[in-house]
Amino acid sequence: MSMTEFDQDVAIIGYGPSGVAAANTLGAAGISTVAFERTQDVYARARAVTVSDWTMRIFQSFGLAQRAMADMDPTVGLRWITYDGHELLHLPFPPGQLGFATSYAIYQPALEQTLRDGVDRYDDVEVRYGVEVTGIEQDADGATLTVRDVATGATSTTRVKYVLACYGGEHTSRAMLGVDLVGDTLSQRWIIIDGKVKQWWPNRHILTFWSDRERPVVDIALGRDNHRWEIPLGPGETDADYDSDEKVWPLLESLGVSRDAVDIHGWAFYSHHIRHAEQWRLGRVFLVGDAAHLMPPWAGAGMQSGIRDAVNISWKLAEVLRGHLPEGLLDSYQAERQPNVGFYTEVAIQLGRIIKQELTPEEQAAMAQQSDELPPLLWPPTYPAGWFTGISAPHGFPEGAVGQMIPQPRAANTRGLIVPLDDLLGNGFVLLGDNVDPASVLTPEQRAGWDRVGATYRAVRSSDQHTEGADEIVDIDGTLLAWLRERGVSVVAVRPDRFVAAADTTGLSLPA
């Protein structure tokens, strides 16, 4: 059956962090979108605890970074200590290269509300609360969703061209799509304790991993005046053993946290998962965030990976729906995102081994020797494969510019306005040249390809030079020019998500 009438272009199932990130991206692109969410309010418990400069740069693309930062605090570093006070490792966080601090402590309910408020700017996005999607039927042209009103039980249908399944880890929704997440659920049960801070205690602001084989703890300041502890239950313990404040308090007191310092305002129990879907695209349906993958919390990358998924597929959907790029572009979604998610999952697993003191003596010695190196958790964003021209490392980390995210220095336009670079680039494709007009080095065929996707062309000058053209950019900090020169490139084509799609050294054609 083929039906060509559509209610909207894109449907989003689930309106948590991944869904609302997709809505912001699609709304800014003018794509007609509808989002379905069972509950009206933002989930009251803080689950995610951190965002990095990569994620902050995404919020900047939404025009929401400054509003989001009002509820955040920069993370100065992390440390591993034992219960007897021995510090195994202290890792200060270096300055970020993407225009923000390397890491921030967040309060997730406040962040989600900021992202939801951002979607309210877009008339093309409709959000329907109090409903659930109970069925999806696909055909050659689109998908028809059956939607049920939770309060009344009344059903209706919505016809769209594409669907983003952002429903989290719910089994019922996965079953509707016939999706199973392969992998493991760890047997260890954890209690997550949230508190309101009343009084400062030593080094509260440093992200702390209490390393212990029996009772390892994640001890982290959240945004605003909130704090979080993640603690495993002991052998033979169950959720029922911690059903009151009085039973929970001894866990915090063992860490030196007094009742004068904190009020407990909630706790919950979780199990850690290492699971993923084998296919993230099912016809016209794309799995996003927890619907596609679940990882342990140690790297703080679960929510962030979902947000990055959402942005990746959403800008590509926008290009396809506007007729700028062919539908095959959408197949690059899993090719780019799955290796990146796998990388952060492995980082989380290895961090968990450190926290639980599972490293061998040889591994501990190697870790100590590498303490001055940038840890994998803070490596720059990289895609080793996907929608790129001339990427040279399909199974590793590319050494050139292609597949990497460009840094974000302070930059100026020709009139002297100094702002973060992205504020001068817009939200589309842009070609940047090191002291050269990038359009001048393109063949007619290359120029036609980039013109077709609405690319702009900007020469980048250093701060001690004159500008020549009205659309040129001055690299005030020198960071971008240094980055290009370190990689031996003079011209790069940058995608809407700030990853380099092509460079002059490996070919400036629009990726196939």
Side-chain angles (χ1 to χ4, degrees):
M1 180 179 67
S2 176
M3 300 167 58
T4 56
E5 295 296 324
F6 299 95
D7 299 298
Q8 280 95 3
D9 286 330
V10 179
I12 299 170
I13 306 175
Y15 204 53
S18 300
V20 75
N24 272 286
T25 307
L26 293 166
I31 302 300
S32 174
T33 304
V34 58
F36 301 103
E37 171 57 43
R38 283 178 54 89
T39 57
Q40 176 73 41
D41 298 323
V42 170
Y43 185 65
R45 291 295 307 276
R47 291 159 291 175
V49 298
T50 186
V51 295
S52 72
D53 49 355
W54 179 2
T55 305
M56 287 302 302
R57 197 172 190 178
I58 289 173
F59 297 157
Q60 180 188 359
S61 75
F62 298 162
L64 299 174
Q66 296 303 315
R67 289 172 59 185
M69 281 198 296
D71 297 310
M72 299 179 184
D73 299 301
T75 305
V76 300
L78 59 85
R79 60 179 179 161
W80 285 266
I81 64 175
T82 61
Y83 278 91
D84 60 8
H86 175 61
E87 187 171 87
L88 301 174
L89 184 66
H90 188 126
L91 178 66
F93 282 1
Q97 293 293 307
L98 305 183
F100 299 92
T102 308
S103 177
Y104 295 84
I106 69 169
Y107 186 61
Q108 185 177 343
L111 173 60
E112 284 196 50
Q113 189 59 57
T114 295
L115 298 180
R116 285 191 177 191
D117 292 344
V119 176
D120 293 342
R121 298 170 293 177
Y122 303 118
D123 293 336
D124 290 317
V125 180
E126 175 190 1
V127 183
R128 295 181 56 188
Y129 295 105
V131 297
E132 62 180 356
V133 175
T134 59
I136 302 174
E137 293 186 9
Q138 299 189 59
D139 55 61
D141 298 320
T144 302
L145 280 62
T146 301
V147 182
R148 186 180 76 88
D149 186 290
V150 174
T152 67
T155 62
S156 60
T157 59
T158 296
R159 176 96 176 136
V160 296
K161 297 176 183 176
Y162 295 99
V163 179
L164 300 183
C166 306
Y167 47 67
E170 298 175 21
H171 173 73
T172 54
S173 297
R174 294 202 309 271
M176 176 181 67
L177 291 168
V179 174
D180 192 20
L181 299 185
V182 299
D184 298 312
T185 294
L186 305 184
S187 58
Q188 180 72 66
R189 192 76 166 155
W190 290 71
I191 181 171
I192 312 301
I193 306 168
D194 289 334
K196 280 285 187 181
V197 176
K198 300 188 295 184
Q199 186 180 77
W200 185 268
W201 61 88
N203 295 316
R204 175 197 167 253
H205 62 305
I206 301 176
L207 170 55
T208 298
F209 294 135
W210 297 79
S211 293
D212 186 77
R213 289 183 180 275
E214 299 299 326
R215 192 80 90 177
V217 178
V218 180
D219 180 339
I220 182 171
L222 305 185
R224 296 185 173 179
D225 54 351
N226 298 280
H227 206 91
R228 154 78 56 81
W229 296 266
E230 302 180 9
I231 306 173
L233 301 187
E237 292 182 331
T238 68
D239 299 2
D241 293 317
Y242 297 97
D243 59 2
S244 69
D245 281 7
E246 288 305 311
K247 294 180 180 179
V248 170
W249 259 114
L251 295 173
L252 299 186
E253 290 169 338
S254 69
L255 305 174
V257 180
S258 74
R259 303 186 188 214
D260 293 332
V262 169
D263 281 332
I264 295 175
H265 68 73
W267 65 90
F269 301 92
Y270 295 96
S271 298
H272 295 164
H273 306 280
I274 307 172
R275 294 183 175 275
H276 67 276
E278 294 183 301
Q279 289 189 319
W280 295 16
R281 180 178 187 178
L282 309 169
R284 291 180 171 269
V285 180
F286 297 85
L287 306 181
V288 178
D290 285 355
H293 47 79
L294 298 167
M295 69 178 72
W298 309 116
M303 179 194 75
Q304 295 191 87
S305 292
I307 289 172
R308 296 162 189 168
D309 290 350
V311 171
N312 186 288
I313 186 58
S314 294
W315 77 256
K316 292 172 180 176
L317 280 172
E319 294 300 319
V320 170
L321 289 166
R322 291 186 295 207
H324 292 170
L325 288 167
E327 206 265 351
L329 169 68
L330 305 179
D331 288 331
S332 68
Y333 165 57
Q334 184 172 353
E336 292 177 5
R337 290 299 307 143
Q338 187 173 33
N340 188 263
V341 169
F343 169 77
Y344 282 104
T345 300
E346 183 59 28
V347 169
I349 291 170
Q350 294 307 318
L351 285 173
R353 293 184 64 224
I354 297 171
I355 296 162
K356 291 179 279 189
Q357 293 195 352
E358 294 177 351
L359 297 184
T360 65
E362 292 77 14
E363 289 173 321
Q364 293 180 27
M367 185 179 72
Q369 291 176 356
Q370 297 169 359
S371 60
D372 293 333
E373 299 179 9
L374 191 67
L377 178 63
L378 303 180
W379 284 358
T382 302
Y383 287 145
W387 192 74
F388 304 104
T389 294
I391 199 164
S392 58
H395 302 295
F397 289 95
E399 297 179 357
V402 179
Q404 296 194 30
M405 178 180 280
I406 62 170
Q408 179 176 207
R410 291 179 306 148
N413 64 12
T414 55
R415 299 180 302 281
L417 174 67
I418 299 177
V419 294
L421 174 66
D422 290 359
D423 292 353
L424 299 179
L425 299 185
N427 286 329
F429 293 93
V430 59
L431 276 73
L432 302 173
D434 178 356
N435 282 295
V436 64
D437 176 4
S440 68
V441 305
L442 300 178
T443 66
E445 293 78 12
Q446 290 171 340
R447 177 67 187 260
W450 292 112
D451 283 349
R452 187 169 70 250
V453 297
T456 58
Y457 306 88
R458 305 290 188 91
V460 182
R461 310 292 183 185
S462 61
S463 59
D464 59 355
Q465 292 180 299
H466 288 287
T467 55
E468 300 175 11
D471 293 331
E472 294 182 355
I473 290 172
V474 179
D475 181 358
I476 296 293
D477 298 333
T479 308
L480 176 60
L481 291 173
W483 188 89
L484 294 172
R485 293 165 188 173
E486 286 171 1
R487 287 154 182 78
V489 298
S490 297
V491 176
V492 292
V494 181
R495 310 188 319 181
D497 59 0
R498 306 312 184 207
F499 284 85
V500 175
D504 59 330
T505 53
T506 47
L508 281 168
S509 298
L510 189 77

